[in-house]
Amino acid sequence: MTVEARIRGTRGTFAFTADLCVGDGEILAVLGPNGAGKTTLLRAIAGLLPIDEGRITIDGTVVDDPAAEVFVPPERRPVGVVFQDCLLFEHLSALDNVAFGLREQGARRADARNRARALLAEVGAQDWADVRPHALSGGQAQRVALARALATEPRLLLLDEPLAALDVQTRAETRRQLRLILERFRGARILVTHDPVDALALADRILILERGEVVQTGTPDEITSRPRSQYVAELVGVNLYRGTADGDHVQVGDAVLTATGTHTGPVMMIIPPNAVVLHRARPTGSARNAWPGTVVALEHLGARGRVRVRVVGPLTIVAEITPAAVAELALTEGTEVWAAVKATEVEVFPA
Amino acid sequence: MGATLAALIFVVPLVGLLWRAPWSSMWSTISSHDARTALRLSLTTSIASTAIAIVLGVPLAWVQAYVDYPGRRVVRAMTLLPMVLPPVVGGIALLLALGKRGLVGQYLDHAGVHLPFHVGGAILAETFVAMPFLVLTVEAAFRSADPRYQDAARTLGASRLHVFRRVTLPMIRPSLLAGAVLCWARALGEFGATITFAGNTQGKTQTLPLFVYIKLEEGNTDAAIVLSLVLLAISLAVLVSLRDRWLSAL
């Protein structure tokens, strides 16, 4: 199956243009800053927001085409949605939240509950079946929301900022879980996020949306190695490496880094620039990954009030630090520094 | 000083009521035939008018909260008017509209529906005065309910009607309960509109507040006090049951 969307729309003064195509078994990440129109795009595909112009096709069936006066309401689209903040129904237990869609499809209560129990087990949430949503942690609610969206066996799964509400510690763990679950789901998946790490770690293909327009699409490799604009470069300016893992160690070129979690064989590794700390001397703190290098470029990010520092060494890395830190370390091109990253900040996933 | 006086204005009449209460003859007064008839009628009519208010008021609250139509503000003002209108004015208005020779009443009369001076009239008068409490409470709840939950339900295959029944209604349930209790308490205490529109016929339209008033007129102060205490006890029970929701729901 494939999903094709050509969407033209206006919301107030905001004009929106997006074409996208996602195939069976593919994960497409829609990446962009807040207000870029990501959620608008997702709501249009789900049928929660009729489009002004264009056409949305799911699996060959036109679901929205204002010119032809076709509009299939959300309840009749083969689409499952994992919403930001999960939006679990507070008056129902986790189990009955998952059973909700099955009941709507006409399943008997007992059958729906049995199936829901199996789904909760699939996402590792069977222990919380009888718990009300308010008593679930962010990560737990996330899994229940995923099970609920998958219960109706949608052919297209939409995920709206599924990790945004989680704290840093839970995020990495939930991202790993999410990746495993998404891999088992057979249909097409569209993931909306403002976090480049989510997009790079989870998607086969990335579509970058800025002010309601698609500015670039490509594989994570293509996007990070050949960003087509300064904006994209800044947005996905994460450190992405290919390496080989052995337990919690990852070999990248001559460098060996420590990460959390266990992997074997070829992997991708992501280090967010704002997780890199620069020192003038070898750091003695808790960071387990530290290596020397030379500053080759300093670049001010006006909008964010940060400075990007490119350090060449055994592992070439970009750090994003404050202007105050640049001044304190007296960084200029040619300065010798140590770059340090905590193991918990190193994201590793199978290549 | 002002605050103390204000508090006293509320407290002193209640103390007066309790001070004069004829505790020894209480039970015999409550269990007298006339009092029981009035109490039963009051319960029946107030529960009936609350049921009508729920059946009609919830859809009205839904439309007022979600549908943007011309004249919505006027309708809101009209539905809330009975809360500030003197009940006797409401009773006269009902009489002119639905009385035997009223605007609509003349046709109802032809059709064999007689409201004034019948139980139906008492129920209608109570509904007129009490329904705004329910509509206001429920409408506020609809407005504050996060619409994204309804979106979520639709993507799970629920039609608009199912979304309302299985998601929206359970979400606003606490407010619906609070609104219904407020509405019922107001209906139970209704006096002005009922006596004006429905009259004061024993067993038909003489509800408990009317009965209390008549007893006082007849000089049977003890009976009036005892039955006032019954109404007071019910009001207190309502207050206690709504303790936390009273302000938040309104």
Side-chain angles (χ1 to χ4, degrees):
Chain A
M1 74 144 275
T2 44
V3 178
E4 278 181 63
R6 307 175 61 81
I7 300 171
R8 310 275 175 280
T10 47
R11 308 205 67 194
T13 57
F14 182 72
F16 189 86
T17 311
D19 293 354
L20 70 82
C21 178
V22 54
D24 213 1
E26 192 179 28
I27 305 180
L28 174 74
V30 176
L31 177 64
N34 290 329
K38 304 186 298 287
T39 300
T40 304
L41 180 68
L42 192 132
R43 289 175 62 81
I45 294 170
L48 298 168
L49 191 73
I51 60 175
D52 292 345
E53 214 184 313
R55 170 187 288 192
I56 301 174
T57 310
I58 298 174
D59 212 1
T61 307
V62 177
V63 293
D64 198 348
D65 185 351
E69 293 189 352
V70 174
F71 180 76
V72 177
E75 62 267 27
R76 288 198 277 119
R77 295 189 187 192
V79 176
V81 187
V82 176
F83 290 88
Q84 197 172 359
D85 310 329
C86 297
L87 302 183
L88 295 173
F89 304 131
E90 198 51 60
H91 62 285
L92 299 176
S93 66
L95 184 74
D96 284 333
N97 263 280
V98 179
F100 186 96
L102 297 163
R103 294 278 288 148
E104 285 300 330
Q105 287 181 339
R108 290 213 318 264
R109 186 187 298 270
D111 297 341
R113 284 202 171 146
N114 283 337
R115 177 86 188 99
R117 214 174 286 280
L119 279 157
L120 281 176
E122 265 182 53
V123 297
Q126 65 274 28
D127 293 344
W128 315 311
D130 300 321
V131 176
R132 286 291 175 94
H134 68 88
L136 294 173
S137 74
Q140 293 168 343
Q142 232 276 308
R143 293 193 201 184
V144 175
L146 197 57
R148 183 177 73 170
L150 292 174
T152 52
E153 297 184 7
R155 276 173 290 169
L156 169 66
L157 183 66
L158 305 174
L159 302 106
D160 189 6
E161 301 275 6
L163 302 164
L166 306 177
D167 59 74
V168 181
Q169 291 303 315
T170 328
R171 261 182 99 98
E173 171 60 23
T174 310
R175 196 183 292 127
R176 257 192 294 279
Q177 295 285 346
L178 187 60
R179 196 182 157 80
L180 292 173
I181 295 163
L182 288 183
E183 270 166 8
R184 286 209 302 269
F185 175 69
R186 297 316 317 153
R189 290 140 293 182
I190 299 176
L191 166 83
V192 155
T193 179
H194 70 276
D195 185 344
V197 177
D198 290 347
L200 294 168
L202 295 169
D204 301 314
R205 219 148 45 79
I206 298 175
L207 178 151
I208 294 172
L209 204 59
E210 189 193 2
R211 289 194 286 273
E213 285 192 30
V214 178
V215 292
Q216 189 172 358
T217 54
T219 64
D221 255 357
E222 286 166 5
I223 300 259
T224 47
S225 57
R226 289 185 295 280
R228 218 176 283 159
S229 67
Q230 180 63 33
Y231 164 74
V232 176
E234 275 190 27
L235 185 69
V236 299
V238 301
N239 301 287
L240 179 72
Y241 307 96
R242 283 182 181 283
T244 312
D246 181 14
D248 63 355
H249 292 289
V250 181
Q251 173 125 27
V252 179
D254 294 334
V256 176
L257 276 85
T258 307
T260 53
T262 311
H263 296 272
T264 323
V267 288
M268 301 284 275
M269 181 173 78
I270 290 174
I271 301 174
N274 56 15
V276 181
V277 185
L278 299 182
H279 304 268
R280 286 306 284 265
R282 189 188 185 108
T284 53
S286 62
R288 292 171 68 186
N289 300 306
W291 61 95
T294 311
V295 173
V296 296
L298 289 139
E299 179 198 349
H300 285 267
L301 302 177
R304 273 188 276 177
R306 309 272 286 184
V307 184
R308 290 176 88 88
V309 186
R310 193 172 176 81
V311 180
V312 172
L315 191 71
T316 295
I317 196 159
V318 172
E320 203 179 293
I321 59 178
T322 60
V326 172
E328 196 187 319
L329 297 167
L331 297 184
T332 54
E333 279 158 26
T335 311
E336 298 290 321
V337 291
W338 282 78
V341 181
K342 286 182 187 170
T344 50
E345 302 277 9
V346 179
E347 182 97 13
V348 179
F349 49 91
Chain B
M1 185 63 197
T4 313
L5 270 180
L8 285 176
I9 286 177
F10 293 122
V11 174
V12 169
L14 293 180
V15 174
L17 194 61
L18 291 170
W19 175 65
R20 280 294 312 277
W23 300 105
S24 55
S25 65
M26 184 162 244
W27 186 245
S28 62
T29 310
I30 293 177
S31 57
S32 78
H33 176 262
D34 290 0
R36 285 217 321 267
T37 308
L39 185 58
R40 198 180 311 121
L41 184 69
S42 261
L43 289 176
T44 319
T45 54
S46 61
I47 288 169
S49 66
T50 305
I52 293 172
I54 290 171
V55 170
L56 302 180
V58 171
L60 176 62
W62 190 88
V63 169
Q64 290 295 89
Y66 293 131
V67 185
D68 196 6
Y69 63 95
R72 174 159 74 165
R73 293 164 68 93
V74 177
V75 171
R76 168 160 314 125
M78 298 313 290
T79 53
L80 298 186
L81 190 63
M83 290 177 88
V84 290
L85 191 74
V88 65
V89 178
I92 291 173
L94 284 170
L95 201 57
L96 295 179
L98 300 167
K100 215 174 162 69
R101 277 182 286 280
L103 186 66
V104 182
Q106 50 184 318
Y107 304 107
L108 288 176
D109 201 57
H110 273 296
V113 179
H114 311 290
L115 288 172
F117 312 109
H118 284 80
V119 178
I123 293 172
L124 189 64
E126 288 174 11
T127 309
F128 176 82
V129 171
M131 189 153 73
F133 289 87
L134 182 118
V135 174
L136 190 70
T137 314
V138 173
E139 186 190 332
F142 279 139
R143 275 177 198 286
S144 61
D146 189 339
R148 296 180 307 153
Y149 286 93
Q150 297 163 33
D151 290 345
R154 295 200 73 193
T155 66
L156 291 168
S159 64
R160 281 179 188 280
L161 193 66
H162 278 206
V163 170
F164 178 76
R165 226 183 53 212
R166 298 195 54 199
V167 176
T168 316
L169 216 48
M171 273 172 81
I172 64 143
R173 213 173 69 123
S175 297
L176 178 59
L177 279 176
V181 172
L182 279 175
C183 172
W184 175 72
R186 181 71 188 84
L188 188 70
E190 220 302 300
F191 179 85
T194 311
I195 201 165
T196 314
F197 178 56
N200 183 25
T201 316
Q202 201 196 358
K204 262 185 171 176
T205 64
Q206 192 187 68
T207 55
L208 204 51
L210 271 60
F211 184 76
V212 168
Y213 177 73
I214 295 303
K215 286 294 144 191
L216 201 62
E217 288 282 278
E218 287 172 355
N220 189 349
T221 321
D222 281 1
I225 293 171
V226 168
L227 294 162
S228 293
L229 284 173
V230 170
L231 288 170
L232 175 65
I234 293 171
S235 305
L236 280 177
V238 166
L239 256 190
V240 170
S241 75
L242 290 178
R243 225 172 10 211
D244 302 324
R245 290 186 193 126
W246 184 273
L247 289 171
S248 62
L250 281 177

